[in-house]
Amino acid sequence: MLNPRRDTSVVTIERFIIEQEELIPEATGALSGILYDLALAAKMIANKVRRAGLADILGATEDQNVQGEVQQKLDVYANETIIKALDHGGRLCAMGSEEVEEFIPIPKKFKQGKYAILFDPLDGSSNIDVNIPVGTIFSIVRKISTGPEGELKDLLQPGYKQVAAGYVLYGSSTVLVYTTGAGVHGFTLDPMLGEFLLHNANITTPETGKYLSVNNGYEQLWSDPVKNLMQRYRGLDGKREAMNGRYVGSFVADFHRNLCGGGIFAYPSNAKSPKGKLRLLYEASPMAFIIEQAGGAAIDGTNRILDISPTSLHQRTPLFIGSKQDVETAREFLNS
Ligand code: FBP
């Protein structure tokens, strides 16, 4: 239980992480160290994103990532910045990134650690060049392999095994939101101080939401149960008030709005993408951990996202995530 006496003024993320660590007697500081390094990487990426139009960082590279997407220059910068911020601290044994096909081992010159991390370095990268918010998503698990070095299996763990998850939103301000399983906490980067300051401890999301975030452009490719579900959310079957349609096309931005204001983000499977689009390990699973900690829910249509056992690093999953009642409605429509 967090210190009830605390007001939220001038609490840096470092101070907050230390205080949370003190609540766990067996903590060694390794997880705290990873969270510090991520906060530093986020500041560096925010700095680039803020000046994107000025610095030669907009536009695409000639390369494609494992998803077959053209890599944006900022994708590459964000990916390298996170890897360099994390690889030498002696806290990690393996990394997995949306931008790298294979798992990323820790260079032999650095000490191996007891955690592994998965991340989407720049989510919503199709929005970079048009100045729409983008984000970074991360998920941290414990090392389970018994050998001296990390292995792929350390990354392929079901979501309920996560010890921490979070995201950074590079929007009108830069916000970092994370959980270590003891509530969800939000920090805003003060560009003058260069510090992430606590703006909201113990974030919760409403039971029933007002925002519907889905790409309607795929409607003709949806199954009938999905079409009927969307009719319900839109209030077209007369069973509820219509939800407000809001879709930025950056998962982190859509998720953050709905976390704060209540709502549902849906990326159903469709005839062209039978597994949906979003990746389980570094998009759906970390956000599922956060939303459940905030009182919401996340399913693939039937299963709890956090119970899905991953079989490959970049596997995709359909996703319905947000306010508990709205996710329950999805489960009813998609399993009747
Ligand atoms: P990446 O940019 O990390 O590949 O993320 C995928 C993403 O851009 C999500 O942020 C977003 O919710 C979704 O794809 C948008 O997809 P679509 O354009 O098909 O609606």
Side-chain angles (χ1 to χ4, degrees):
M1 180 60 206
L2 283 179
N3 169 350
R5 280 189 275 81
R6 165 150 358 100
D7 65 37
T8 57
S9 56
V10 197
V11 176
T12 63
I13 194 167
E14 288 78 12
R15 171 181 161 190
F16 190 87
I17 291 170
I18 288 173
E19 289 180 358
Q20 281 223 309
E21 185 192 305
E22 284 159 3
L23 300 172
I24 307 161
E26 69 278 12
T28 63
L31 182 59
S32 302
I34 298 170
L35 294 171
Y36 294 151
D37 294 341
L38 282 165
L40 172 62
K43 292 176 192 174
M44 294 169 70
I45 297 167
N47 195 26
K48 274 282 189 228
V49 169
R50 294 261 159 274
R51 298 172 30 253
L54 307 170
D56 175 27
I57 195 86
L58 285 180
T61 66
E62 321 250 299
D63 308 320
Q64 275 200 353
N65 66 15
V66 59
Q67 335 282 346
E69 296 157 347
V70 175
Q71 280 186 316
Q72 305 296 315
K73 290 179 188 166
L74 262 172
D75 279 326
V76 176
Y77 173 80
N79 189 53
E80 285 166 7
T81 300
I82 294 171
I83 292 172
K84 289 201 191 97
L86 293 171
D87 65 2
H88 58 285
R91 303 170 186 118
L92 290 167
C93 67
M95 300 192 246
S97 165
E98 181 190 48
E99 298 303 327
V100 183
E101 178 140 12
E102 305 303 331
F103 89 88
I104 306 163
I106 299 299
K108 295 213 178 314
K109 63 183 175 188
F110 298 131
K111 212 167 121 280
Q112 292 277 322
K114 62 178 187 176
Y115 292 106
I117 190 167
L118 296 124
F119 55 92
D120 178 354
L122 212 71
D123 173 68
S125 39
S126 57
N127 281 325
I128 296 169
D129 291 6
V130 286
N131 205 8
I132 288 178
V134 290
T136 293
I137 311 173
F138 65 86
S139 165
I140 302 171
V141 289
R142 282 195 180 81
K143 180 180 191 295
I144 54 171
S145 61
T146 50
E149 292 175 5
E151 298 167 22
L152 177 59
K153 69 190 270 187
D154 294 311
L155 298 168
L156 300 184
Q157 300 188 51
Y160 65 80
K161 292 275 188 170
Q162 292 175 93
V163 292
Y167 60 86
V168 186
L169 175 60
Y170 310 101
S172 44
S173 62
T174 298
V175 166
L176 191 159
V177 173
Y178 83 96
T179 185
T180 55
V184 178
H185 314 292
F187 301 80
T188 298
L189 179 61
D190 180 322
M192 302 303 283
L193 297 178
E195 289 282 359
F196 277 107
L197 301 180
L198 181 68
H199 71 250
N200 200 344
N202 291 311
I203 299 171
T204 56
T205 198
E207 273 280 305
T208 303
K210 57 181 177 201
Y211 298 120
L212 169 61
S213 303
V214 65
N215 185 337
N216 295 317
Y218 297 117
E219 180 132 11
Q220 81 283 6
L221 300 171
W222 289 337
S223 66
D224 287 346
V226 171
K227 286 179 182 167
N228 297 338
L229 171 63
M230 295 305 159
Q231 297 295 88
R232 169 62 60 87
Y233 289 144
R234 295 173 187 145
L236 296 175
D237 67 354
K239 295 274 177 33
R240 68 160 292 161
E241 223 182 288
M243 299 175 88
N244 279 329
R246 293 280 187 284
Y247 191 72
V248 173
S250 287
F251 177 37
V252 173
D254 285 313
F255 177 88
H256 186 70
R257 178 212 312 107
N258 296 353
L259 173 71
C260 303
I264 185 154
F265 173 96
Y267 206 111
S269 59
N270 64 51
K272 273 215 193 106
S273 315
K275 280 275 178 218
K277 177 181 183 181
L278 298 187
R279 279 49 60 133
L280 174 65
L281 284 168
Y282 43 78
E283 290 176 321
S285 190
M287 296 306 217
F289 186 19
I290 293 166
I291 204 75
E292 287 202 6
Q293 281 287 311
I299 60 173
D300 66 358
T302 304
N303 312 297
R304 180 179 173 237
I305 292 288
L306 295 181
D307 290 338
I308 299 173
S309 291
T311 52
S312 69
L313 198 50
H314 304 287
Q315 73 182 73
R316 300 174 191 267
T317 180
L319 181 61
F320 301 83
I321 186 167
S323 297
K324 194 174 271 180
Q325 287 314 320
D326 302 319
V327 172
E328 222 23 67
T329 304
R331 194 197 300 276
E332 283 155 26
F333 272 80
L334 303 176
N335 296 283
S336 53

